[in-house]
Amino acid sequence: MNLDDFTRFPKVDKENMLAEIDGLPAQLQKAWELGQTFPLPETDGVRHVVIAGMGGSAIGADLLAAYAAPLASVPITVWRDYDLPAWAQGENVLLVASSHSGNTEETLSAFAAAQARGCRVLAVTTGGQLATQAQEKGHTVWQFVHPGQPRAAVGYSFGLLLALFARAGWLPNPEGDVHVAVDAMQAQQASLKAAVPTADNPAKQWALRLEGKWPMVFGSGALAPVARRWKGQISEIAKALAQFEFLPEADHNTLAGLHNPQVLFPQTIAIFLTARGEHPRNQLRARLTRDVFQQHGLEAALVEARGEGRLAQQWTALHLGDYIAYYLAMHYDTDPTPVTAIEGFKAALKKA
């Protein structure tokens, strides 16, 4: 599809995923404000927070953990699996069970394990089995309303957790940073919306650049989970394969793989997310690693996150990636909302 023929988008985007992406700055602001109104679980004595979730519900936890790493007074573990790690026992551990639908089997498994081990529990969900079971057991439930896909609720899955950590005193109050981030997203958005022609729209330009390519997305610090988000959105929205890598780790292994198979190099592109708020050595690594990729004959580029401060840079980079994935879907004439392969696999797993 011609990306400048944006009036055709609704014919492909039947459930209006574009509106979800356009509304993400407002969703982040709303989630932060909503998080100030819910009852807090008992937080005195908590020494470790485990956030259990999958897919779109887990990415908010990744974003929080990366943003909070240099700031938080308690460690955060993001758990994408069944049960819980052996050390997660007792009331000094808070399990945050995050499931958009409330029916994610891995998260329900972690929720059951936390109850059996005497952990404190907070459920973050729109409803489902998680809300019902948590309420029956007397646990705190933060229930929000979002009828769309879990990946489109990333503002909630992050903003509610950020509010929890701020109100519990585990983070310095980030309210000012949230406002700066929302303003930066909206300012950047002026050049990313569907009506902006490709010649002036960086997201559309990137989408065309990714056509027929295998994207490798690299990030560090607060941008590491953004690299993961870009990969997930390219797969779920554009129905295309991609991968994510973290710096500095990739410099200790991935670089050694830039020799074979060379037949794939023309179809590969490496994207390095960077920002002024990242560690100076990681900013340097992003530039130098890009150079090494280029020297080996692979297409590689830097993407500089916009905004002032780590939170704004994290969220402007994330928002840009969402738009890129959407326009790539439009270019492929692919409906960005349904995830038939995932739903089919879940059905087969349940049947088995």
Side-chain angles (χ1 to χ4, degrees), residues 1 40 62 68 94 135 141 158 165-166 168 215 296 308 314 322 337 347:
M1 182 190 297
L40 273 179
D62 291 327
L94 171 65
Q135 289 165 350
V141 179
F158 171 82
F165 270 68
H296 282 77
E308 295 298 325
Q314 183 185 64
D322 282 10
T337 301

Side-chain angles (χ1 to χ4, degrees), residues 216 218 243-259 289 293:
M216 304 171 65
F218 294 73
Q243 73 183 78
F244 65 92
E245 300 267 1
F246 298 152
L247 289 174
E249 174 65 22
D251 289 338
H252 294 267
N253 43 63
T254 305
L255 285 181
L258 296 181
H259 295 280
T289 309
F293 269 72

Side-chain angles (χ1 to χ4, degrees), residues 121-132:
V121 175
L122 168 64
V124 179
T125 182
T126 65
Q129 297 177 58
L130 179 60
T132 299

Side-chain angles (χ1 to χ4, degrees), residues 32 166 171-177:
W32 166 255
L171 274 178
N173 188 350
E175 184 170 12
D177 290 345

Side-chain angles (χ1 to χ4, degrees), residues 42-120:
E42 179 57 53
T43 59
D44 289 345
V46 170
R47 297 291 178 264
H48 201 132
V49 178
V50 181
I51 308 173
M54 303 298 298
S57 298
I59 193 66
D62 291 327
L63 293 162
L64 174 76
Y67 169 71
L71 303 169
S73 59
V74 296
I76 303 167
T77 296
V78 181
W79 186 252
R80 282 181 168 86
D81 209 336
Y82 297 92
D83 300 324
L84 283 174
W87 53 259
Q89 302 199 35
E91 63 179 13
N92 65 338
V93 174
L94 171 65
L95 173 77
V96 180
S98 179
S99 170
H100 183 274
S101 67
N103 298 317
T104 309
E105 65 174 60
E106 299 93 332
T107 308
L108 290 171
S109 171
F111 171 78
Q115 290 186 98
R117 299 181 191 181
C119 302
R120 304 183 201 189

